Amino acid sequence: MADESRKHPPEPPAHGGWSELLHTEDYWSIWLGLALIVAALVVYLPRPPTDLQAKIDTANTGLAEAEASAPIKTIAWYDALDAKSKLKCTSESCGKSLTRFFAKPHGWDTNPLHAVVSGEERAEALKAAAEPGHAIKREAAATAYSVAMAAETAARAAGFADETLNAAAEDEIDAWRAANAAESRAKKKTRVAAYNQLLNLAGVCMVLALVFGVGVRAMGGSFRRFCLGFVFVFAVAVLSYMAAQQSLMKEYGIGYAAWAILFGMIISNTVGTPRWVEPAVRTEYFIKTGLVLLGAEILFGKIITIGIPGIFVAWLVTPTVLIVGFWLGNRYLKMPSKTLNVTICAAASVCGVSAAIATAAACRAKKEELTLAVGLSLIFTALMMIGMPAFIKAVGMGEILGGAWMGGTIDATGAVAAAGAFLGDKALYTSATIKMIQNVMIGVVAFCVALYWTMRVERQAGAKVGASEIWIRFPKFVLGFIGVSVIFSIIYQAMGADVGYALIDHGVIRGGTKLLRGWMFCLAFVSIGLATNFRELAHHFKGGKPLLLYAFTQGFNLLLTLFIAWLSFFVVFPHITEKI
Amino acid sequence: MARQGERPAWARWGLLLASAVGVWLFMFVVAPGVRRVPVVGEALDVVRELEIDASALFYTEIESFSRAELMIRESMSTQRNVLTDDS
């Protein structure tokens, strides 16, 4: 990453002059990110779901009435919750169109063409195949509803004073929820439609080429040469998404990041990266812009509303593990590179690939170092996603403790969802909460790492670093990343959690910035692969120190998270745990 | 940029082809084989059944996280109401 910038038009010296604002990659990543965010705000904010506030009020009244009438979560409580969860901008026509346009390729089993093209005949065949399954699930959901209603009625008749009846009602309501969710998924399969995504993909390629090309031109590069090379990089990104969408790869959690690096490396280490592609191999440019967009997804207010015990676990354990891991890597493992050290520790302690990207960019790690951290994270994630739920079940650990443990330790966010769901709903809720809080930490970690690198690691021995020196050296895109996060957190708070959920979370973010950010990270990983040599990568892995560091950091994380999760959920906040 | 100019063209394209075959073998032979291991298959069945994107990088990429967030938020809100009533 750091050495790659030398291959592109030299940036003017960073003396803080005004010209820097229009001629450096860091600032252009901020301008482009902000422009795209403003565009998403303009699209979504004036188009809220119809009668949004009235529907929120109705749902909240329903929730309040259900809470007042029973000490357990009743069917009416869940109905009101479901009504609220459906209020999304992404469910409106505009949101659907944008989401469809920027969507990644579809899932497929054996024919990769189905990732981008599927005819009417196949759609009809898939629908016909899904109908019988849907009928069975619909019947099961109806039966589960009747049973749950009967159990709730019995508990209500006893004035909710009989603990046995209450517990039975809760169990039956949980079973109805599961059957209901299964019916929804089966129903979705009966609504398959034909698609041809090739035109959309060409459109996405043109939009992104234009967006990034403008910046390249302003920084002194050739717009035409960039666009030409970009088509190739984008094509490899599409291939990576296609590989990640293969049904079995999706189950294993082998996502676009791994495929993009692999495909890029295969090309660069076999036939070689074509010279005409090189102007578009802009790892840092893509990553930094993607990170500015990611800032919109980091909403600080959310973590307050979704769980104090989770904050306790995530914000106490995560920095501790990061700092201890980094210290051990320097002191005892004698890691040859501090940037590799901190990138690996961030991946292991925060949340895998996304944390590695942010940290590597903040400390200007080399592209091979990021590749190594991502690779290690993917391997450990795959092992832990399967091993941890199996272990938790085998030892009979409770769902909440197990969920908290997995949420705090399994790196990849998707793998946490998979492992949590394997244990049950409560485990999923707990693990999801903790992982979301960890996700939110990325911004703080990136900022602290950037500051630490500027003030301590990169300074001359014995020299004092003044404020202006810090400003000159500080990676400016981090300010864009944090700034966007703070602005979105304020907007989200000002709107309130319910309106924010519909307009920001399920509008501007999920229907806009998230889709573009995914493409940008994928382009960045393709660029990393296209610029990486197997020999250089092997050099960084010399002596197996990165593996040892990852294993230690993750081992320490496992022990500390388990202890703090138990302390938090069962000693300090047991009254909150009871309500989950 | 990584370049393999020292190898003859046939060797470079042969390596590319071999890599493609390797990817295919992993996807359609190795991965399905590992899936047949009971502990792996059991976990992956849940992922398939619940349609979870196990490769998601961030919480916004997972629909079940959104439901979990709403559920936890409302549960905590209930808790706040209870605490307020108690006080």
Side-chain angles (χ1 to χ4, degrees):
Chain A
M1 288 172 76
D3 51 354
E4 179 207 326
S5 57
R6 290 180 214 130
K7 306 209 162 52
H8 296 292
E11 294 185 354
H15 293 313
W18 290 107
S19 70
E20 194 187 339
L21 297 175
L22 287 177
H23 294 101
T24 60
E25 209 167 63
D26 268 37
Y27 279 113
W28 265 102
S29 64
I30 296 176
W31 308 142
L32 294 179
L34 285 178
L36 293 170
I37 286 168
V38 168
L41 286 166
V42 168
V43 168
Y44 283 107
L45 291 194
R47 296 177 181 81
T50 322
D51 300 329
L52 177 64
Q53 194 55 55
K55 286 176 183 170
I56 288 172
D57 291 343
T58 308
N60 283 339
T61 307
L63 283 166
E65 284 173 2
E67 284 162 13
S69 73
I72 62 170
K73 292 187 183 94
T74 59
I75 291 173
W77 191 88
Y78 281 112
D79 282 341
L81 190 77
D82 287 345
K84 203 191 243 190
S85 73
K86 285 175 187 158
L87 299 172
K88 302 170 178 175
C89 277
T90 43
S91 300
E92 304 294 303
S93 60
C94 175
K96 280 181 183 170
S97 303
L98 262 182
T99 308
R100 207 177 301 125
F101 181 75
F102 285 108
K104 55 192 178 187
H106 292 73
W108 56 282
D109 287 321
T110 51
N111 183 353
L113 280 181
H114 290 156
V116 284
V117 180
S118 178
E120 288 288 351
E121 204 175 310
R122 181 169 175 261
E124 288 304 322
L126 288 172
K127 271 188 214 173
E131 282 296 350
H134 178 225
I136 292 169
K137 302 276 186 198
R138 193 172 49 212
E139 184 68 29
T143 308
Y145 178 80
S146 305
V147 174
M149 185 55 94
E152 185 187 312
T153 307
R156 192 179 293 278
F160 291 107
D162 185 331
E163 284 302 321
T164 314
L165 287 176
N166 287 357
E170 281 184 306
D171 288 345
E172 295 304 344
I173 289 171
D174 284 349
W176 162 63
R177 296 291 297 167
N180 217 20
E183 196 264 335
S184 295
R185 287 191 296 274
K187 191 176 178 182
K188 207 168 79 181
K189 285 178 186 165
T190 65
R191 293 182 172 176
V192 185
Y195 53 81
N196 184 343
Q197 223 186 328
L198 291 171
L199 271 179
N200 283 3
L201 289 170
V204 175
C205 180
M206 285 202 294
V207 169
L208 291 174
L210 185 69
V211 166
F212 285 115
V214 167
V216 166
R217 182 72 196 86
M219 288 185 278
S222 159
F223 180 80
R224 195 184 61 80
R225 287 181 64 215
F226 172 80
C227 289
L228 198 64
F230 186 82
V231 174
F232 184 89
V233 177
F234 186 81
V236 181
V238 171
L239 271 183
S240 311
Y241 263 132
M242 284 171 68
Q245 288 292 90
Q246 199 272 336
S247 55
L248 200 50
M249 297 303 103
K250 261 168 95 174
E251 290 175 20
Y252 275 107
I254 304 173
Y256 67 80
W259 291 111
I261 292 175
L262 181 70
F263 288 163
M265 282 177 70
I266 286 175
I267 293 167
S268 66
N269 288 274
T270 56
V271 292
T273 304
R275 281 205 185 280
W276 57 271
V277 172
E278 289 176 8
V281 179
R282 308 285 299 238
T283 307
E284 288 196 52
Y285 189 29
F286 299 139
I287 280 190
K288 287 171 182 173
T289 313
L291 282 170
V292 172
L293 291 180
L294 183 70
E297 297 169 53
I298 296 176
L299 304 168
F300 289 102
K302 258 189 187 196
I303 61 173
I304 308 296
T305 53
I306 60 177
I308 295 165
I311 297 171
F312 199 63
V313 174
W315 286 66
L316 190 68
V317 176
T318 308
T320 308
V321 173
L322 176 60
I323 291 164
V324 170
F326 182 67
W327 173 78
L328 178 114
N330 276 342
R331 185 78 185 265
Y332 293 103
L333 288 177
K334 310 278 184 210
M335 289 290 289
S337 160
K338 283 187 176 178
T339 46
L340 175 61
N341 187 357
V342 77
T343 306
I344 286 178
C345 291
S349 62
V350 190
C351 49
V353 175
S354 44
I357 295 171
T359 311
C363 69
R364 300 185 181 99
K366 289 180 181 169
K367 61 188 183 304
E368 291 86 4
E369 295 174 341
L370 176 58
T371 303
L372 208 52
V374 168
L376 285 168
S377 173
L378 291 173
I379 292 166
F380 273 81
T381 296
L383 293 174
M384 289 169 74
M385 180 180 91
I386 290 163
M388 283 189 81
F391 176 80
I392 288 166
K393 270 199 167 176
V395 300
M397 192 185 291
E399 275 194 38
I400 291 179
L401 183 59
W405 194 28
M406 293 191 303
T409 52
I410 297 178
D411 292 340
T413 305
V416 167
F422 185 75
L423 282 189
D425 275 353
K426 285 183 180 176
L428 174 62
Y429 296 150
T430 318
S431 58
T433 307
I434 291 180
K435 187 47 76 180
M436 282 170 72
I437 298 168
Q438 275 193 342
N439 282 171
V440 173
M441 278 195 80
I442 290 180
V444 179
V445 168
F447 182 80
C448 293
V449 167
L451 203 60
Y452 180 75
W453 243 251
T454 307
M455 295 176 70
R456 297 291 298 271
V457 179
E458 291 175 347
R459 71 169 181 180
Q460 302 279 333
K464 282 201 169 181
V465 184
S468 63
E469 187 70 10
I470 291 172
W471 172 248
I472 288 168
R473 286 196 209 159
F474 193 83
K476 309 295 185 300
F477 84 93
V478 175
L479 298 178
F481 179 31
I482 293 285
V484 168
S485 170
V486 170
I487 291 168
F488 265 69
S489 297
I490 292 169
I491 294 175
Y492 192 85
Q493 283 306 103
M495 284 181 171
D498 291 333
V499 177
Y501 174 90
L503 293 185
I504 299 293
D505 208 348
H506 289 270
V508 178
I509 294 174
R510 287 171 210 249
T513 58
K514 181 200 81 172
L515 305 169
L516 289 162
R517 186 259 299 162
W519 280 111
M520 288 173 193
F521 281 176
C522 192
L523 292 166
F525 282 119
V526 171
S527 300
I528 287 175
L530 288 174
T532 298
N533 188 299
F534 278 132
R535 277 181 217 143
E536 286 172 41
L537 196 63
H539 167 75
H540 285 278
F541 200 72
K542 208 174 172 183
K545 283 182 180 177
L547 180 64
L548 278 177
L549 177 65
Y550 208 105
F552 169 80
T553 309
Q554 196 55 272
F556 180 56
N557 195 14
L558 281 165
L559 292 176
L560 192 62
T561 303
L562 182 60
F563 174 67
I564 299 294
W566 169 78
L567 200 66
S568 175
F569 282 91
F570 295 96
V571 179
V572 184
F573 305 108
H575 52 290
I576 292 180
T577 308
E578 281 168 20
K579 286 283 168 186
I580 296 172
Chain B
M1 301 294 154
R3 223 164 259 295
Q4 301 300 312
E6 70 274 12
R7 288 199 191 100
W10 65 266
R12 286 185 273 136
W13 286 98
L15 273 173
L16 180 68
L17 190 67
S19 303
V21 171
V23 168
W24 183 88
L25 279 174
F26 174 74
M27 261 188 186
F28 297 105
V29 179
V30 178
V34 176
R35 200 191 192 289
R36 282 191 280 276
V37 176
V39 68
V40 177
E42 211 180 322
L44 299 192
D45 282 345
V46 176
V47 176
R48 171 168 287 196
E49 174 65 26
L50 300 180
E51 295 174 6
I52 293 167
D53 181 1
S55 65
L57 297 187
F58 214 66
Y59 76 91
T60 45
E61 293 167 31
I62 305 171
E63 198 47 43
S64 59
F65 270 38
S66 173
R67 283 198 301 275
E69 180 207 338
L70 201 57
M71 170 78 188
I72 295 280
R73 175 152 57 87
E74 292 306 332
S75 298
M76 294 302 129
S77 160
T78 309
Q79 178 64 23
R80 278 196 295 273
N81 294 341
V82 170
L83 290 175
T84 310
D85 293 346
D86 287 350
S87 64

